[in-house]
Amino acid sequence: MDIDLIGFLPALLPVALSPGASFTLAINSALADGPRGLISALAGTALGIYTHALLIGLGITAALVASPAIFNILKITGTVYLLWLGIQLIRSGTAAHVGTFSHTAVPVTLKEAWLANVLNPKAILFYLTVVSQFAGRQADVNDYLVLASLHILVMVVWLLMIGRTLTFSARKLDPLMLKKWINIAGGLLLLAFSLKTLI
Protein backbone atom coordinates (compact mmCIF):
# COMPACT_ATOMS: atom_id res chain seq x y z
CA MET A 1 0.00 0.00 0.00
CA ASP A 2 1.82 3.12 -1.23
CA ILE A 3 -1.00 5.54 -0.49
CA ASP A 4 0.23 9.11 0.21
CA LEU A 5 -1.90 10.47 3.08
CA ILE A 6 0.60 13.20 4.00
CA GLY A 7 0.74 14.48 0.42
CA PHE A 8 -3.02 14.25 0.03
CA LEU A 9 -3.80 16.54 2.97
CA PRO A 10 -2.42 19.78 1.42
CA ALA A 11 -4.19 18.97 -1.85
CA LEU A 12 -7.43 18.28 0.00
CA LEU A 13 -7.55 21.29 2.34
CA PRO A 14 -8.41 23.98 -0.25
CA VAL A 15 -11.22 21.80 -1.60
CA ALA A 16 -12.59 20.70 1.77
CA LEU A 17 -12.42 24.14 3.39
CA SER A 18 -13.69 26.31 0.54
CA PRO A 19 -17.36 27.14 0.13
CA GLY A 20 -18.94 24.87 -2.42
CA ALA A 21 -22.27 23.13 -2.92
CA SER A 22 -21.88 20.75 0.03
CA PHE A 23 -20.65 23.55 2.30
CA THR A 24 -23.64 25.72 1.35
CA LEU A 25 -26.14 22.91 1.88
CA ALA A 26 -24.63 21.93 5.25
CA ILE A 27 -24.64 25.48 6.60
CA ASN A 28 -28.18 26.17 5.43
CA SER A 29 -29.33 22.88 6.87
CA ALA A 30 -27.66 23.70 10.21
CA LEU A 31 -29.51 27.00 10.36
CA ALA A 32 -32.77 25.40 9.31
CA ASP A 33 -32.76 22.48 11.71
CA GLY A 34 -29.82 22.94 14.09
CA PRO A 35 -27.44 20.06 14.78
CA ARG A 36 -29.87 17.50 13.35
CA GLY A 37 -29.96 19.35 10.02
CA LEU A 38 -26.19 19.65 9.94
CA ILE A 39 -25.71 15.94 10.69
CA SER A 40 -28.15 14.99 7.92
CA ALA A 41 -26.30 17.15 5.38
CA LEU A 42 -22.91 15.87 6.55
CA ALA A 43 -24.03 12.24 6.37
CA GLY A 44 -25.37 12.70 2.84
CA THR A 45 -22.18 14.42 1.74
CA ALA A 46 -20.06 11.70 3.36
CA LEU A 47 -22.03 9.04 1.51
CA GLY A 48 -21.45 11.01 -1.69
CA ILE A 49 -17.70 11.11 -1.06
CA TYR A 50 -17.65 7.37 -0.39
CA THR A 51 -19.68 6.86 -3.57
CA HIS A 52 -17.01 8.73 -5.55
CA ALA A 53 -14.29 6.64 -3.92
CA LEU A 54 -16.09 3.42 -4.85
CA LEU A 55 -16.79 4.57 -8.41
CA ILE A 56 -13.18 5.58 -9.05
CA GLY A 57 -11.82 2.48 -7.30
CA LEU A 58 -13.95 0.28 -9.53
CA GLY A 59 -13.01 2.21 -12.68
CA ILE A 60 -16.54 3.44 -13.34
CA THR A 61 -15.69 7.15 -13.07
CA ALA A 62 -12.98 6.84 -15.72
CA ALA A 63 -15.47 5.18 -18.06
CA LEU A 64 -18.04 7.94 -17.48
CA VAL A 65 -15.56 10.73 -18.11
CA ALA A 66 -14.18 8.93 -21.18
CA SER A 67 -17.61 9.16 -22.81
CA PRO A 68 -18.30 12.84 -23.52
CA ALA A 69 -22.02 12.20 -24.09
CA ILE A 70 -22.50 10.42 -20.76
CA PHE A 71 -20.38 12.96 -18.88
CA ASN A 72 -22.35 15.85 -20.44
CA ILE A 73 -25.64 14.24 -19.40
CA LEU A 74 -24.28 13.83 -15.86
CA LYS A 75 -23.00 17.41 -15.88
CA ILE A 76 -26.35 18.81 -17.02
CA THR A 77 -28.27 16.65 -14.54
CA GLY A 78 -26.03 17.81 -11.69
CA THR A 79 -26.33 21.43 -12.77
CA VAL A 80 -30.12 21.28 -12.96
CA TYR A 81 -30.26 19.64 -9.54
CA LEU A 82 -28.03 22.31 -7.97
CA LEU A 83 -30.13 25.01 -9.67
CA TRP A 84 -33.27 23.48 -8.16
CA LEU A 85 -31.68 23.35 -4.68
CA GLY A 86 -30.53 26.95 -5.04
CA ILE A 87 -34.01 28.10 -6.00
CA GLN A 88 -35.48 26.22 -3.02
CA LEU A 89 -33.07 27.99 -0.66
CA ILE A 90 -33.84 31.40 -2.16
CA ARG A 91 -37.58 30.74 -1.89
CA SER A 92 -37.13 29.69 1.72
CA GLY A 93 -35.14 32.85 2.44
CA THR A 94 -37.58 35.22 0.80
CA ALA A 95 -40.51 33.57 2.58
CA ALA A 96 -38.78 33.92 5.97
CA HIS A 97 -40.53 37.19 6.78
CA VAL A 98 -43.99 35.78 6.04
CA GLY A 99 -44.22 32.89 8.51
CA THR A 100 -42.84 32.06 11.87
CA PHE A 101 -39.31 30.82 12.41
CA SER A 102 -40.23 27.13 12.30
CA HIS A 103 -42.24 27.40 9.08
CA THR A 104 -39.29 28.75 7.11
CA ALA A 105 -36.95 25.91 8.02
CA VAL A 106 -35.90 23.86 5.01
CA PRO A 107 -33.22 21.40 6.09
CA VAL A 108 -31.46 19.36 3.45
CA THR A 109 -32.26 15.67 3.56
CA LEU A 110 -29.60 12.97 3.49
CA LYS A 111 -30.69 12.04 -0.03
CA GLU A 112 -30.48 15.63 -1.28
CA ALA A 113 -26.99 16.09 0.15
CA TRP A 114 -25.88 12.76 -1.34
CA LEU A 115 -27.28 13.64 -4.77
CA ALA A 116 -25.74 17.12 -4.69
CA ASN A 117 -22.33 15.54 -4.07
CA VAL A 118 -22.61 12.57 -6.44
CA LEU A 119 -23.94 14.66 -9.35
CA ASN A 120 -21.36 17.41 -8.88
CA PRO A 121 -18.99 17.28 -11.88
CA LYS A 122 -16.27 19.03 -9.87
CA ALA A 123 -16.36 16.28 -7.25
CA ILE A 124 -16.13 13.64 -9.98
CA LEU A 125 -13.14 15.33 -11.57
CA PHE A 126 -11.49 15.94 -8.18
CA TYR A 127 -11.58 12.22 -7.41
CA LEU A 128 -10.48 11.26 -10.90
CA THR A 129 -7.63 13.73 -11.27
CA VAL A 130 -6.44 14.71 -7.78
CA VAL A 131 -7.33 11.86 -5.45
CA SER A 132 -6.08 9.23 -7.87
CA GLN A 133 -2.57 10.77 -7.70
CA PHE A 134 -2.35 9.92 -3.99
CA ALA A 135 -3.91 6.45 -4.04
CA GLY A 136 -0.71 4.75 -5.17
CA ARG A 137 0.39 2.94 -8.29
CA GLN A 138 -1.51 -0.23 -7.51
CA ALA A 139 -4.52 1.51 -5.97
CA ASP A 140 -7.62 -0.48 -5.24
CA VAL A 141 -10.99 0.42 -3.77
CA ASN A 142 -9.64 0.29 -0.20
CA ASP A 143 -7.02 2.96 -0.96
CA TYR A 144 -9.68 5.29 -2.32
CA LEU A 145 -11.89 4.61 0.70
CA VAL A 146 -9.01 5.54 3.04
CA LEU A 147 -8.49 8.82 1.17
CA ALA A 148 -12.24 9.44 1.19
CA SER A 149 -12.27 8.85 4.96
CA LEU A 150 -9.61 11.52 5.42
CA HIS A 151 -11.63 13.85 3.17
CA ILE A 152 -14.74 13.21 5.28
CA LEU A 153 -12.88 13.72 8.56
CA VAL A 154 -11.54 17.10 7.45
CA MET A 155 -14.94 18.14 6.06
CA VAL A 156 -16.86 17.07 9.18
CA VAL A 157 -14.51 18.82 11.61
CA TRP A 158 -14.59 22.01 9.52
CA LEU A 159 -18.35 22.08 8.99
CA LEU A 160 -19.10 21.21 12.62
CA MET A 161 -16.98 24.19 13.68
CA ILE A 162 -18.64 26.51 11.16
CA GLY A 163 -22.13 25.12 11.86
CA ARG A 164 -21.65 25.47 15.61
CA THR A 165 -20.47 29.06 15.19
CA LEU A 166 -23.43 29.95 12.99
CA THR A 167 -26.05 28.28 15.17
CA PHE A 168 -24.52 29.99 18.22
CA SER A 169 -24.64 33.32 16.36
CA ALA A 170 -28.25 32.66 15.41
CA ARG A 171 -29.15 32.62 19.11
CA LYS A 172 -27.48 36.01 19.66
CA LEU A 173 -28.93 37.68 16.57
CA ASP A 174 -32.42 37.66 15.13
CA PRO A 175 -32.52 34.00 13.98
CA LEU A 176 -35.19 34.68 11.37
CA MET A 177 -33.17 37.42 9.70
CA LEU A 178 -29.94 35.41 9.86
CA LYS A 179 -31.65 32.39 8.34
CA LYS A 180 -33.28 34.55 5.69
CA TRP A 181 -30.00 36.05 4.49
CA ILE A 182 -28.03 32.81 4.79
CA ASN A 183 -30.67 30.96 2.73
CA ILE A 184 -30.75 33.67 0.06
CA ALA A 185 -26.94 33.92 -0.07
CA GLY A 186 -26.59 30.12 -0.08
CA GLY A 187 -29.17 29.80 -2.84
CA LEU A 188 -27.38 32.43 -4.91
CA LEU A 189 -24.07 30.59 -4.35
CA LEU A 190 -25.62 27.33 -5.56
CA LEU A 191 -27.01 29.13 -8.62
CA ALA A 192 -23.55 30.60 -9.30
CA PHE A 193 -21.85 27.18 -8.89
CA SER A 194 -24.42 25.65 -11.23
CA LEU A 195 -24.04 28.29 -13.91
CA LYS A 196 -20.24 28.17 -13.64
CA THR A 197 -20.39 24.40 -14.13
CA LEU A 198 -22.49 24.85 -17.27
CA ILE A 199 -20.07 27.39 -18.70
Side-chain angles (χ1 to χ4, degrees):
M1 186 157 127
D2 59 328
I3 188 170
D4 184 6
L5 290 173
I6 304 299
F8 179 58
L9 197 54
L12 170 67
L13 287 176
V15 173
L17 303 182
S18 66
S22 296
F23 177 92
T24 303
L25 293 176
I27 297 309
N28 280 289
S29 201
L31 287 172
D33 201 23
R36 188 173 59 195
L38 179 61
I39 297 300
S40 177
L42 289 175
T45 301
L47 288 174
I49 291 169
Y50 278 131
T51 301
H52 286 297
L54 285 171
L55 292 175
I56 194 168
L58 297 172
I60 296 169
T61 300
L64 288 174
V65 173
S67 169
I70 292 173
F71 186 69
N72 282 335
I73 289 169
L74 183 65
K75 184 177 177 180
I76 291 168
T77 302
T79 301
V80 169
Y81 185 69
L82 288 177
L83 283 170
W84 178 81
L85 284 174
I87 290 167
Q88 296 303 315
L89 286 174
I90 292 169
R91 289 177 65 206
S92 171
T94 56
H97 69 286
V98 175
T100 63
F101 183 71
S102 63
H103 292 306
T104 61
V106 182
V108 176
T109 65
L110 183 131
K111 179 181 174 185
E112 289 170 334
W114 176 77
L115 279 172
N117 190 279
V118 168
L119 295 176
N120 186 342
K122 289 180 184 177
I124 294 168
L125 292 175
F126 175 71
Y127 266 78
L128 186 64
T129 59
V130 177
V131 177
S132 61
Q133 295 177 34
F134 300 96
R137 278 174 286 209
Q138 316 245 297
D140 63 10
V141 173
N142 292 327
D143 297 321
Y144 288 105
L145 290 173
V146 168
L147 291 170
S149 296
L150 180 58
H151 184 174
I152 290 165
L153 177 67
V154 169
M155 176 205 61
V156 166
V157 168
W158 173 243
L159 289 177
L160 283 174
M161 288 177 7
I162 297 292
R164 178 80 176 130
T165 302
L166 280 176
T167 53
F168 179 75
S169 298
R171 285 187 229 135
K172 300 264 185 222
L173 305 170
D174 177 8
L176 190 58
M177 286 305 285
L178 182 63
K179 190 176 292 189
K180 174 181 180 171
W181 292 112
I182 293 283
N183 278 351
I184 291 171
L188 290 172
L189 273 174
L190 285 178
L191 291 178
F193 295 140
S194 302
L195 295 174
K196 186 178 176 191
T197 300
L198 268 182
I199 296 170

